[in-house]
Amino acid sequence: MTRSITVLGAGVLGLWQALTLARAGHRVRLLECSVEPFAAAASLYGGVMLAPEREAETAPAMLRELGLEGVALWRALYPQLHCNGSLVVASPRDQGELERFAHRTQGHGLLRADELAEREPDLAGRFNGALFFADEAHMSAPDALQFLLDEARRAGAEIVFGVGAGADTNGDNAADVVIDCRGMAARDHLPDLRGVRGERVLIRSTDITLSRPVQFLHPRIPLYVVPWGAGLYMIGATVIESEEPGAMSVRSALELLGGAYAVHPAFAEAEILAFGAGVRPAFPDNVPRAIVRDGGRRIFVNGAYRHGFLLGPVLARTVADYLADGRTGALLRV
Ligand SMILES: Cc1cc2nc3c(=O)[nH]c(=O)nc-3n(C[C@H](O)[C@H](O)[C@H](O)COP(=O)(O)OP(=O)(O)OC[C@H]3O[C@@H](n4cnc5c(N)ncnc54)[C@H](O)[C@@H]3O)c2cc1C
């Protein structure tokens, strides 16, 4: 049955919903309160890594399977997705950490130093070896969000910026179903939603070339360098129980930049382009979900925590299935 659907919020969750539901034949209108696309979205700060295997080190087990499905859905959609895997390294004195990480995860192979150098020539001589997660992928957040926006429009979704929930009587009030993807703003209806601050640095280096994400095992933060192409690198990311969206602290800047330097000292010559912090919406168990309310007239899709890009397509498929025939899945609560 074709429905009239309003999606609220053009972060990665709302964009995936709009695209998937428009492709399923629904009449979709996506309302975003910020005038400039992505300006108020946590999604803009994403790495972005699709890392279901590495995330499984700390995430609930069910998210690994769903994450693998998320990677497959991105692969089918996005030609610019880099599907050349990811690496985990540790300094020689922390080899025990690498072994522990290997025991707690699947889907990896152990590379010797020469095999690592074959894959990433600029890391030759830097590490004793690495874990290689061949099936993981990565992308640049701004490019991926713009692609989703264009694809949703191409699929027939109407996308309106500068219009918030409730401000538009032809929007959420008139729709058969409202899909609420307002991120942290949805706490007015989801009181157990909390914010987890994530800081990142964007740098540009012409002295070093990496072609896939490199995670550097660090005692406090999941520290990684993600190549965005053209010499751009995203260095992330802190995980701080705070909803403060403000500027990055000196401590975080030191840790992130120090981590990049530990991956390769050539990063010391890189140009710093931006410091930034986004607040990840999360439920107490850090599992994202779609929550059906008002007899199916309103569905909240939220709590993506560190997995909004990874699980955005899975949450969209889950909602589309529910609207098609009432099917529920692991991430849907009625
Ligand atoms: C530093 C960092 C690194 C990350 N790295 C990764 C990664 O590598 N892989 C991964 O999968 N995830 C990653 N994440 C997590 C991911 O970015 C989040 O899970 C995701 O951004 C959450 O998306 P969202 O659409 O729920 O929220 P948001 O992106 O915040 O979008 C919500 C949107 O709703 C809009 N809105 C608010 N109120 C209204 C209203 N009244 N009406 C209309 N619109 C409204 C907002 O303006 C905003 O645009 C990272 C996050 C951070 C901070």
Side-chain angles (χ1 to χ4, degrees):
M1 182 175 66
T2 300
R3 290 184 169 90
S4 149
I5 295 176
T6 293
V7 180
L8 301 175
V12 70
L13 295 193
L15 289 167
W16 262 106
Q17 294 288 329
L19 170 59
T20 305
L21 295 171
R23 283 188 169 181
H26 298 291
R27 287 186 305 281
V28 176
R29 197 153 192 262
L30 169 57
L31 305 181
E32 164 58 53
C33 65
S34 76
V35 173
E36 190 189 330
F38 325 129
S43 302
L44 192 61
Y45 297 92
V48 173
M49 301 177 298
L50 302 182
E53 303 289 10
R54 282 180 294 136
E55 286 296 305
E57 190 219 355
T58 50
M62 70 188 273
L63 293 191
R64 175 176 173 266
E65 282 300 314
L66 295 168
L68 292 170
E69 189 187 335
V71 178
L73 289 164
W74 271 105
R75 271 181 186 258
L77 178 77
Y78 187 32
Q80 275 77 44
L81 186 68
H82 298 281
C83 300
N84 56 351
S86 59
L87 293 162
V88 177
V89 296
S91 66
R93 69 169 186 276
D94 289 334
Q95 284 309 296
E97 285 301 314
L98 200 63
E99 281 160 30
R100 264 191 292 281
F101 195 94
H103 279 125
R104 288 200 298 261
T105 53
Q106 306 171 54
H108 53 69
L110 185 58
L111 300 184
R112 294 186 314 262
D114 59 317
E115 294 169 323
L116 171 61
E118 258 171 49
R119 286 205 160 72
E120 294 291 352
D122 281 359
L123 294 185
R126 300 256 346 116
F127 300 100
N128 293 343
L131 298 177
F132 179 49
F133 293 82
D135 296 330
E136 296 193 340
H138 71 281
M139 61 189 126
S140 120
D143 293 347
L145 291 168
Q146 187 61 50
F147 177 85
L148 285 177
L149 178 60
D150 294 342
E151 275 309 289
R153 280 203 170 113
R154 224 189 317 275
E158 182 191 358
I159 304 185
V160 188
F161 287 93
V163 176
D168 177 295
T169 48
N170 294 320
D172 51 326
N173 293 339
D176 298 329
V177 183
V178 174
I179 314 286
D180 189 321
C181 303
R182 288 177 294 139
M184 286 306 299
R187 203 162 39 181
D188 53 0
H189 287 74
L190 303 173
D192 57 349
L193 203 61
R194 76 184 199 287
V196 182
R197 175 178 160 90
E199 297 151 307
R200 61 100 172 100
V201 190
L202 294 183
I203 63 173
R204 180 168 24 232
S205 171
T206 50
D207 298 323
I208 175 165
T209 302
L210 297 177
S211 56
R212 48 177 68 74
V214 178
Q215 179 169 344
F216 180 72
L217 293 182
H218 181 283
R220 282 181 302 284
I221 50 181
L223 209 151
Y224 50 80
V225 178
V226 187
W228 279 9
L232 283 183
Y233 293 90
M234 185 277 203
I235 319 242
T238 56
V239 182
I240 300 171
E241 290 290 333
S242 160
E243 296 175 8
E244 179 53 57
M248 183 186 291
S249 71
V250 170
R251 179 203 303 275
S252 298
L254 287 171
E255 287 195 322
L256 293 176
L257 293 171
Y261 183 76
V263 169
H264 202 294
F267 279 122
E269 304 304 324
E271 191 186 346
I272 295 177
L273 303 179
F275 291 107
V279 178
R280 311 169 179 97
F283 291 120
D285 58 2
N286 296 332
V287 174
R289 53 185 68 101
I291 301 167
V292 180
R293 297 255 174 94
D294 299 342
R297 281 191 38 85
R298 196 171 188 105
I299 303 176
F300 292 89
V301 184
N302 215 316
Y305 185 50
R306 282 166 44 177
H307 311 120
F309 283 83
L310 183 62
L311 296 176
V314 180
L315 286 158
R317 201 250 314 125
T318 299
V319 169
D321 287 350
Y322 175 74
L323 293 178
D325 54 19
R327 232 177 309 165
T328 57
L331 298 180
L332 191 122
R333 299 277 179 284
V334 182

